[in-house]
Amino acid sequence: MKDKFRLAVCQMSVTRDKETNIRRAGEMVREAAAGGAKVVALPEMFNCPYETHFFPAYAESYPDGETVKMLARVAADAGIVLVGGSIPERDGDKVYNTSFIFGPRGDLLGRHRKVHLFDVDLPNLRIRESSTLGPGNNLDVIDAGLCKLGVIICFDVRFPELARLLALEGAHVLVIPAAFNIITGPAHWEMSMRARAVDNQVYVAAASPARDESAKYVAYGHSMIVDPWGEVVAEAGTGEEIIMAEIDPEKIKDVRGRLPLLSQRRTDLYEIKRK
């Protein structure tokens, strides 16, 4: 990563109409690109209401699904790197919560399937993603040309080992499509995103859907971009909105130079490694 660039997060409203969602996502990505963004991120499950029973019905396969075709086309038309939030992806007899990342020629740079499924019991909210989704089993740093990206999805952010592994493998920016809700959001959203940025001295871009109070699952909103010092440099409200911030490699270099956390790890005592 050598040069500064602008990154945008599209906090879009998600409806039950898949075609409307796909069209609106494309419109917002094009608007962000027109505003100067070179990397654009969409929210978790942007083409589908966040309710587990919808996931199989809305699922599609790569490369023939209408959503992934739109992502590839818009990335190429706009000449940007597009982190396609996440969608339900069908692969054989399984469905995954998957982020597809496309490059400025419309080429697939990589994908991340949500590793940790959201199976929780919260006050007045019980979710079992595992009832319709399978877990992903891979973590990859994506060379986006402008920078190296690490992508994790929502509940993955609560497992700091994942973010650390991606940082150690060279990620400059962690993109986190995430649909926190109005219980977990006020308690942990900002804390989680700032902690991952501070721990790993990277930028964090967290992409939430807009809030819909009439939905069964109400997203928190407040998409944000955090710098390597942990400062929130851009934040959305609860409605539909595009936020944007400059990603500066010198900021990463400066923070890591002044506070050399990664180089001072005691790898003689502890280590994170892949199987």
Side-chain angles (χ1 to χ4, degrees):
M1 181 177 173
K2 296 179 180 179
D3 301 318
K4 299 178 183 179
F5 64 90
R6 292 176 69 77
L7 180 149
V9 173
C10 300
Q11 180 169 287
M12 61 169 280
S13 297
V14 178
T15 73
R16 291 195 177 193
D17 187 280
K18 186 177 182 181
E19 296 297 328
T20 297
N21 296 333
I22 294 171
R23 182 177 64 253
R24 184 58 184 144
E27 291 171 351
M28 292 189 77
V29 170
R30 292 179 190 278
E31 182 180 345
K38 297 300 183 184
V39 177
V40 181
L42 287 164
E44 182 181 22
M45 291 297 185
F46 72 88
N47 72 349
C48 174
Y50 187 87
E51 295 181 41
T52 56
H53 64 278
F54 282 128
F55 298 158
Y58 283 69
E60 56 187 64
S61 301
Y62 177 82
D64 298 322
E66 56 187 325
T67 308
V68 290
K69 285 183 176 179
M70 178 277 291
L71 294 172
R73 182 176 64 253
V74 171
D77 289 349
I80 58 167
V81 174
L82 177 53
V83 180
S86 78
I87 64 170
E89 177 207 7
R90 185 174 299 282
D91 187 359
D93 61 352
K94 291 196 174 184
V95 176
Y96 300 94
N97 184 342
T98 303
S99 180
F100 291 90
I101 302 92
F102 289 93
R105 293 179 298 180
D107 49 326
L108 181 68
L109 300 180
R111 79 181 85 186
H112 172 67
R113 290 171 172 169
K114 190 173 187 176
V115 172
H116 298 92
L117 299 182
F118 192 49
D119 288 0
V120 298
D121 289 287
L122 299 168
N124 301 313
L125 184 64
R126 185 176 186 269
I127 301 288
R128 289 290 181 273
E129 278 192 338
S130 63
S131 66
T132 56
L133 296 176
N137 294 303
N138 292 301
L139 287 172
D140 296 295
V141 172
I142 296 157
D143 188 346
L146 294 164
C147 69
K148 291 185 177 180
L149 296 174
V151 179
I152 56 178
I153 299 173
C154 202
F155 202 45
D156 286 341
V157 76
R158 293 184 180 270
F159 301 85
E161 300 89 349
L162 273 68
R164 173 54 57 87
L165 181 60
L166 293 171
L168 291 176
E169 295 191 357
H172 306 109
V173 181
L174 293 178
V175 181
I176 309 175
F180 275 39
N181 54 67
I182 54 174
I183 300 168
T184 60
H188 301 146
W189 173 261
E190 181 176 328
M191 179 193 306
S192 298
M193 304 311 166
R194 294 182 68 194
R196 297 295 82 78
V198 169
D199 289 349
N200 300 291
Q201 300 174 314
V202 295
Y203 284 90
V204 167
S208 171
R211 188 179 302 184
D212 178 2
E213 298 284 358
S214 67
K216 184 175 179 179
Y217 182 94
V218 182
Y220 181 57
H222 293 283
S223 296
M224 62 176 53
I225 303 169
V226 187
D227 75 11
W229 189 249
E231 180 181 356
V232 178
V233 294
E235 182 178 1
T238 59
E240 200 168 69
E241 184 176 349
I242 297 172
I243 59 171
M244 200 173 303
E246 184 176 76
I247 305 300
D248 183 358
E250 288 301 315
K251 181 73 172 183
I252 299 173
K253 182 178 178 181
D254 180 66
V255 169
R256 290 182 175 181
R258 294 175 183 274
L259 195 66
L261 300 182
L262 298 182
S263 64
Q264 290 187 4
R265 291 175 301 114
R266 287 288 305 276
T267 54
D268 57 321
L269 295 177
Y270 52 82
E271 188 177 5
I272 296 177
K273 58 184 179 180
R274 291 182 182 270
K275 285 188 175 181

PDB file of all heavy atoms in Angstrom, residues 210-237:
ATOM      1  N   ALA A 210     -29.292  -0.033   6.904  1.00  0.00           N
ATOM      2  CA  ALA A 210     -30.045   1.025   7.567  1.00  0.00           C
ATOM      3  C   ALA A 210     -31.076   0.407   8.508  1.00  0.00           C
ATOM      4  O   ALA A 210     -31.461  -0.748   8.356  1.00  0.00           O
ATOM      5  CB  ALA A 210     -30.723   1.921   6.534  1.00  0.00           C
ATOM      6  N   ARG A 211     -31.497   1.178   9.465  1.00  0.00           N
ATOM      7  CA  ARG A 211     -32.464   0.680  10.452  1.00  0.00           C
ATOM      8  C   ARG A 211     -33.881   0.723   9.898  1.00  0.00           C
ATOM      9  O   ARG A 211     -34.297   1.703   9.286  1.00  0.00           O
ATOM     10  CB  ARG A 211     -32.389   1.514  11.739  1.00  0.00           C
ATOM     11  CG  ARG A 211     -33.216   0.931  12.872  1.00  0.00           C
ATOM     12  CD  ARG A 211     -33.115   1.754  14.143  1.00  0.00           C
ATOM     13  NE  ARG A 211     -31.726   1.870  14.604  1.00  0.00           N
ATOM     14  CZ  ARG A 211     -31.382   2.487  15.745  1.00  0.00           C
ATOM     15  NH1 ARG A 211     -32.327   3.056  16.490  1.00  0.00           N
ATOM     16  NH2 ARG A 211     -30.109   2.541  16.098  1.00  0.00           N
ATOM     17  N   ASP A 212     -34.617  -0.352  10.113  1.00  0.00           N
ATOM     18  CA  ASP A 212     -36.032  -0.433   9.746  1.00  0.00           C
ATOM     19  C   ASP A 212     -36.790  -0.874  10.983  1.00  0.00           C
ATOM     20  O   ASP A 212     -36.773  -2.044  11.350  1.00  0.00           O
ATOM     21  CB  ASP A 212     -36.224  -1.421   8.598  1.00  0.00           C
ATOM     22  CG  ASP A 212     -37.683  -1.601   8.202  1.00  0.00           C
ATOM     23  OD1 ASP A 212     -38.557  -0.935   8.791  1.00  0.00           O
ATOM     24  OD2 ASP A 212     -37.959  -2.427   7.311  1.00  0.00           O
ATOM     25  N   GLU A 213     -37.439   0.060  11.622  1.00  0.00           N
ATOM     26  CA  GLU A 213     -38.131  -0.228  12.886  1.00  0.00           C
ATOM     27  C   GLU A 213     -39.281  -1.211  12.711  1.00  0.00           C
ATOM     28  O   GLU A 213     -39.728  -1.829  13.674  1.00  0.00           O
ATOM     29  CB  GLU A 213     -38.662   1.074  13.500  1.00  0.00           C
ATOM     30  CG  GLU A 213     -37.592   2.088  13.853  1.00  0.00           C
ATOM     31  CD  GLU A 213     -36.826   1.746  15.121  1.00  0.00           C
ATOM     32  OE1 GLU A 213     -37.160   0.728  15.763  1.00  0.00           O
ATOM     33  OE2 GLU A 213     -35.890   2.493  15.467  1.00  0.00           O
ATOM     34  N   SER A 214     -39.774  -1.371  11.481  1.00  0.00           N
ATOM     35  CA  SER A 214     -40.900  -2.284  11.251  1.00  0.00           C
ATOM     36  C   SER A 214     -40.444  -3.724  11.006  1.00  0.00           C
ATOM     37  O   SER A 214     -41.272  -4.628  10.950  1.00  0.00           O
ATOM     38  CB  SER A 214     -41.715  -1.803  10.048  1.00  0.00           C
ATOM     39  OG  SER A 214     -40.968  -1.920   8.848  1.00  0.00           O
ATOM     40  N   ALA A 215     -39.144  -3.940  10.846  1.00  0.00           N
ATOM     41  CA  ALA A 215     -38.635  -5.277  10.566  1.00  0.00           C
ATOM     42  C   ALA A 215     -38.657  -6.150  11.818  1.00  0.00           C
ATOM     43  O   ALA A 215     -38.607  -5.655  12.949  1.00  0.00           O
ATOM     44  CB  ALA A 215     -37.215  -5.188  10.025  1.00  0.00           C
ATOM     45  N   LYS A 216     -38.705  -7.457  11.587  1.00  0.00           N
ATOM     46  CA  LYS A 216     -38.651  -8.382  12.725  1.00  0.00           C
ATOM     47  C   LYS A 216     -37.289  -8.305  13.406  1.00  0.00           C
ATOM     48  O   LYS A 216     -37.191  -8.360  14.639  1.00  0.00           O
ATOM     49  CB  LYS A 216     -38.930  -9.803  12.238  1.00  0.00           C
ATOM     50  CG  LYS A 216     -38.983 -10.830  13.369  1.00  0.00           C
ATOM     51  CD  LYS A 216     -39.386 -12.205  12.848  1.00  0.00           C
ATOM     52  CE  LYS A 216     -39.419 -13.217  13.982  1.00  0.00           C
ATOM     53  NZ  LYS A 216     -39.823 -14.564  13.497  1.00  0.00           N
ATOM     54  N   TYR A 217     -36.224  -8.193  12.592  1.00  0.00           N
ATOM     55  CA  TYR A 217     -34.868  -8.005  13.106  1.00  0.00           C
ATOM     56  C   TYR A 217     -34.468  -6.580  12.760  1.00  0.00           C
ATOM     57  O   TYR A 217     -34.366  -6.232  11.578  1.00  0.00           O
ATOM     58  CB  TYR A 217     -33.910  -9.010  12.475  1.00  0.00           C
ATOM     59  CG  TYR A 217     -32.483  -8.922  12.985  1.00  0.00           C
ATOM     60  CD1 TYR A 217     -32.040  -9.726  14.022  1.00  0.00           C
ATOM     61  CD2 TYR A 217     -31.570  -8.020  12.423  1.00  0.00           C
ATOM     62  CE1 TYR A 217     -30.736  -9.652  14.495  1.00  0.00           C
ATOM     63  CE2 TYR A 217     -30.273  -7.933  12.881  1.00  0.00           C
ATOM     64  CZ  TYR A 217     -29.856  -8.748  13.919  1.00  0.00           C
ATOM     65  OH  TYR A 217     -28.572  -8.661  14.383  1.00  0.00           O
ATOM     66  N   VAL A 218     -34.246  -5.754  13.767  1.00  0.00           N
ATOM     67  CA  VAL A 218     -33.970  -4.335  13.549  1.00  0.00           C
ATOM     68  C   VAL A 218     -32.465  -4.092  13.616  1.00  0.00           C
ATOM     69  O   VAL A 218     -31.842  -4.260  14.673  1.00  0.00           O
ATOM     70  CB  VAL A 218     -34.702  -3.455  14.587  1.00  0.00           C
ATOM     71  CG1 VAL A 218     -34.436  -1.979  14.308  1.00  0.00           C
ATOM     72  CG2 VAL A 218     -36.205  -3.741  14.560  1.00  0.00           C
ATOM     73  N   ALA A 219     -31.873  -3.712  12.480  1.00  0.00           N
ATOM     74  CA  ALA A 219     -30.440  -3.429  12.433  1.00  0.00           C
ATOM     75  C   ALA A 219     -30.128  -2.132  13.166  1.00  0.00           C
ATOM     76  O   ALA A 219     -30.947  -1.202  13.210  1.00  0.00           O
ATOM     77  CB  ALA A 219     -29.970  -3.341  10.988  1.00  0.00           C
ATOM     78  N   TYR A 220     -28.923  -2.061  13.700  1.00  0.00           N
ATOM     79  CA  TYR A 220     -28.507  -0.902  14.506  1.00  0.00           C
ATOM     80  C   TYR A 220     -28.157   0.302  13.643  1.00  0.00           C
ATOM     81  O   TYR A 220     -28.388   1.443  14.032  1.00  0.00           O
ATOM     82  CB  TYR A 220     -27.299  -1.304  15.356  1.00  0.00           C
ATOM     83  CG  TYR A 220     -26.770  -0.212  16.248  1.00  0.00           C
ATOM     84  CD1 TYR A 220     -27.587   0.415  17.190  1.00  0.00           C
ATOM     85  CD2 TYR A 220     -25.437   0.193  16.170  1.00  0.00           C
ATOM     86  CE1 TYR A 220     -27.090   1.413  18.016  1.00  0.00           C
ATOM     87  CE2 TYR A 220     -24.929   1.179  16.992  1.00  0.00           C
ATOM     88  CZ  TYR A 220     -25.768   1.791  17.920  1.00  0.00           C
ATOM     89  OH  TYR A 220     -25.263   2.774  18.743  1.00  0.00           O
ATOM     90  N   GLY A 221     -27.605   0.093  12.456  1.00  0.00           N
ATOM     91  CA  GLY A 221     -27.109   1.215  11.678  1.00  0.00           C
ATOM     92  C   GLY A 221     -25.741   1.654  12.189  1.00  0.00           C
ATOM     93  O   GLY A 221     -24.957   0.858  12.688  1.00  0.00           O
ATOM     94  N   HIS A 222     -25.466   2.958  12.062  1.00  0.00           N
ATOM     95  CA  HIS A 222     -24.208   3.543  12.559  1.00  0.00           C
ATOM     96  C   HIS A 222     -22.966   2.927  11.904  1.00  0.00           C
ATOM     97  O   HIS A 222     -21.946   2.701  12.570  1.00  0.00           O
ATOM     98  CB  HIS A 222     -24.113   3.429  14.081  1.00  0.00           C
ATOM     99  CG  HIS A 222     -25.128   4.252  14.813  1.00  0.00           C
ATOM    100  ND1 HIS A 222     -25.006   5.616  14.966  1.00  0.00           N
ATOM    101  CD2 HIS A 222     -26.305   3.898  15.387  1.00  0.00           C
ATOM    102  CE1 HIS A 222     -26.064   6.071  15.644  1.00  0.00           C
ATOM    103  NE2 HIS A 222     -26.865   5.063  15.892  1.00  0.00           N
ATOM    104  N   SER A 223     -23.059   2.645  10.595  1.00  0.00           N
ATOM    105  CA  SER A 223     -21.857   2.230   9.867  1.00  0.00           C
ATOM    106  C   SER A 223     -20.735   3.218  10.181  1.00  0.00           C
ATOM    107  O   SER A 223     -20.977   4.421  10.352  1.00  0.00           O
ATOM    108  CB  SER A 223     -22.121   2.232   8.363  1.00  0.00           C
ATOM    109  OG  SER A 223     -23.095   1.279   8.027  1.00  0.00           O
ATOM    110  N   MET A 224     -19.500   2.700  10.240  1.00  0.00           N
ATOM    111  CA  MET A 224     -18.404   3.596  10.601  1.00  0.00           C
ATOM    112  C   MET A 224     -17.093   3.172   9.976  1.00  0.00           C
ATOM    113  O   MET A 224     -16.910   2.008   9.598  1.00  0.00           O
ATOM    114  CB  MET A 224     -18.252   3.696  12.123  1.00  0.00           C
ATOM    115  CG  MET A 224     -17.924   2.417  12.842  1.00  0.00           C
ATOM    116  SD  MET A 224     -17.646   2.701  14.637  1.00  0.00           S
ATOM    117  CE  MET A 224     -19.138   3.582  15.107  1.00  0.00           C
ATOM    118  N   ILE A 225     -16.199   4.141   9.887  1.00  0.00           N
ATOM    119  CA  ILE A 225     -14.827   3.914   9.458  1.00  0.00           C
ATOM    120  C   ILE A 225     -13.928   4.393  10.584  1.00  0.00           C
ATOM    121  O   ILE A 225     -14.083   5.522  11.070  1.00  0.00           O
ATOM    122  CB  ILE A 225     -14.511   4.639   8.141  1.00  0.00           C
ATOM    123  CG1 ILE A 225     -15.479   4.194   7.035  1.00  0.00           C
ATOM    124  CG2 ILE A 225     -13.059   4.387   7.725  1.00  0.00           C
ATOM    125  CD1 ILE A 225     -15.414   5.035   5.774  1.00  0.00           C
ATOM    126  N   VAL A 226     -13.025   3.513  11.014  1.00  0.00           N
ATOM    127  CA  VAL A 226     -12.152   3.779  12.153  1.00  0.00           C
ATOM    128  C   VAL A 226     -10.709   3.751  11.677  1.00  0.00           C
ATOM    129  O   VAL A 226     -10.336   2.882  10.875  1.00  0.00           O
ATOM    130  CB  VAL A 226     -12.359   2.729  13.266  1.00  0.00           C
ATOM    131  CG1 VAL A 226     -11.573   3.089  14.519  1.00  0.00           C
ATOM    132  CG2 VAL A 226     -13.842   2.576  13.598  1.00  0.00           C
ATOM    133  N   ASP A 227      -9.886   4.689  12.176  1.00  0.00           N
ATOM    134  CA  ASP A 227      -8.488   4.706  11.747  1.00  0.00           C
ATOM    135  C   ASP A 227      -7.621   3.858  12.680  1.00  0.00           C
ATOM    136  O   ASP A 227      -8.114   3.336  13.693  1.00  0.00           O
ATOM    137  CB  ASP A 227      -7.974   6.146  11.615  1.00  0.00           C
ATOM    138  CG  ASP A 227      -7.686   6.848  12.937  1.00  0.00           C
ATOM    139  OD1 ASP A 227      -7.680   6.201  14.016  1.00  0.00           O
ATOM    140  OD2 ASP A 227      -7.449   8.071  12.905  1.00  0.00           O
ATOM    141  N   PRO A 228      -6.333   3.664  12.360  1.00  0.00           N
ATOM    142  CA  PRO A 228      -5.489   2.752  13.156  1.00  0.00           C
ATOM    143  C   PRO A 228      -5.236   3.209  14.590  1.00  0.00           C
ATOM    144  O   PRO A 228      -4.745   2.418  15.402  1.00  0.00           O
ATOM    145  CB  PRO A 228      -4.169   2.714  12.363  1.00  0.00           C
ATOM    146  CG  PRO A 228      -4.532   3.106  10.985  1.00  0.00           C
ATOM    147  CD  PRO A 228      -5.638   4.098  11.130  1.00  0.00           C
ATOM    148  N   TRP A 229      -5.554   4.461  14.912  1.00  0.00           N
ATOM    149  CA  TRP A 229      -5.425   4.950  16.284  1.00  0.00           C
ATOM    150  C   TRP A 229      -6.706   4.726  17.077  1.00  0.00           C
ATOM    151  O   TRP A 229      -6.777   4.977  18.256  1.00  0.00           O
ATOM    152  CB  TRP A 229      -5.038   6.430  16.283  1.00  0.00           C
ATOM    153  CG  TRP A 229      -4.672   6.993  17.606  1.00  0.00           C
ATOM    154  CD1 TRP A 229      -5.369   7.911  18.333  1.00  0.00           C
ATOM    155  CD2 TRP A 229      -3.516   6.676  18.397  1.00  0.00           C
ATOM    156  NE1 TRP A 229      -4.728   8.197  19.513  1.00  0.00           N
ATOM    157  CE2 TRP A 229      -3.579   7.452  19.582  1.00  0.00           C
ATOM    158  CE3 TRP A 229      -2.430   5.813  18.223  1.00  0.00           C
ATOM    159  CZ2 TRP A 229      -2.612   7.376  20.580  1.00  0.00           C
ATOM    160  CZ3 TRP A 229      -1.463   5.744  19.206  1.00  0.00           C
ATOM    161  CH2 TRP A 229      -1.559   6.523  20.363  1.00  0.00           C
ATOM    162  N   GLY A 230      -7.743   4.241  16.395  1.00  0.00           N
ATOM    163  CA  GLY A 230      -9.023   3.983  17.041  1.00  0.00           C
ATOM    164  C   GLY A 230      -9.992   5.133  16.971  1.00  0.00           C
ATOM    165  O   GLY A 230     -11.053   5.100  17.602  1.00  0.00           O
ATOM    166  N   GLU A 231      -9.675   6.143  16.177  1.00  0.00           N
ATOM    167  CA  GLU A 231     -10.568   7.285  16.041  1.00  0.00           C
ATOM    168  C   GLU A 231     -11.627   6.994  14.984  1.00  0.00           C
ATOM    169  O   GLU A 231     -11.306   6.513  13.891  1.00  0.00           O
ATOM    170  CB  GLU A 231      -9.785   8.534  15.643  1.00  0.00           C
ATOM    171  CG  GLU A 231     -10.653   9.765  15.477  1.00  0.00           C
ATOM    172  CD  GLU A 231      -9.863  10.990  15.058  1.00  0.00           C
ATOM    173  OE1 GLU A 231      -8.621  10.899  14.962  1.00  0.00           O
ATOM    174  OE2 GLU A 231     -10.506  12.027  14.809  1.00  0.00           O
ATOM    175  N   VAL A 232     -12.878   7.281  15.311  1.00  0.00           N
ATOM    176  CA  VAL A 232     -13.956   7.147  14.328  1.00  0.00           C
ATOM    177  C   VAL A 232     -13.893   8.349  13.401  1.00  0.00           C
ATOM    178  O   VAL A 232     -14.152   9.482  13.811  1.00  0.00           O
ATOM    179  CB  VAL A 232     -15.328   7.054  15.023  1.00  0.00           C
ATOM    180  CG1 VAL A 232     -16.447   6.970  13.978  1.00  0.00           C
ATOM    181  CG2 VAL A 232     -15.390   5.850  15.951  1.00  0.00           C
ATOM    182  N   VAL A 233     -13.533   8.114  12.140  1.00  0.00           N
ATOM    183  CA  VAL A 233     -13.336   9.221  11.207  1.00  0.00           C
ATOM    184  C   VAL A 233     -14.556   9.460  10.323  1.00  0.00           C
ATOM    185  O   VAL A 233     -14.644  10.499   9.651  1.00  0.00           O
ATOM    186  CB  VAL A 233     -12.076   8.991  10.337  1.00  0.00           C
ATOM    187  CG1 VAL A 233     -10.829   9.039  11.208  1.00  0.00           C
ATOM    188  CG2 VAL A 233     -12.134   7.666   9.586  1.00  0.00           C
ATOM    189  N   ALA A 234     -15.495   8.533  10.316  1.00  0.00           N
ATOM    190  CA  ALA A 234     -16.759   8.723   9.609  1.00  0.00           C
ATOM    191  C   ALA A 234     -17.791   7.802  10.238  1.00  0.00           C
ATOM    192  O   ALA A 234     -17.485   6.662  10.573  1.00  0.00           O
ATOM    193  CB  ALA A 234     -16.627   8.418   8.123  1.00  0.00           C
ATOM    194  N   GLU A 235     -19.003   8.310  10.411  1.00  0.00           N
ATOM    195  CA  GLU A 235     -20.070   7.498  11.019  1.00  0.00           C
ATOM    196  C   GLU A 235     -21.415   7.901  10.449  1.00  0.00           C
ATOM    197  O   GLU A 235     -21.726   9.095  10.326  1.00  0.00           O
ATOM    198  CB  GLU A 235     -20.086   7.653  12.538  1.00  0.00           C
ATOM    199  CG  GLU A 235     -21.151   6.802  13.209  1.00  0.00           C
ATOM    200  CD  GLU A 235     -21.144   6.906  14.732  1.00  0.00           C
ATOM    201  OE1 GLU A 235     -20.311   7.660  15.279  1.00  0.00           O
ATOM    202  OE2 GLU A 235     -21.986   6.235  15.376  1.00  0.00           O
ATOM    203  N   ALA A 236     -22.217   6.904  10.123  1.00  0.00           N
ATOM    204  CA  ALA A 236     -23.578   7.129   9.650  1.00  0.00           C
ATOM    205  C   ALA A 236     -24.527   7.254  10.835  1.00  0.00           C
ATOM    206  O   ALA A 236     -24.189   6.909  11.977  1.00  0.00           O
ATOM    207  CB  ALA A 236     -24.014   5.988   8.741  1.00  0.00           C
ATOM    208  N   GLY A 237     -25.727   7.705  10.545  1.00  0.00           N
ATOM    209  CA  GLY A 237     -26.799   7.661  11.525  1.00  0.00           C
ATOM    210  C   GLY A 237     -27.514   6.322  11.423  1.00  0.00           C
ATOM    211  O   GLY A 237     -26.879   5.279  11.281  1.00  0.00           O
TER     212      GLY A 237
END
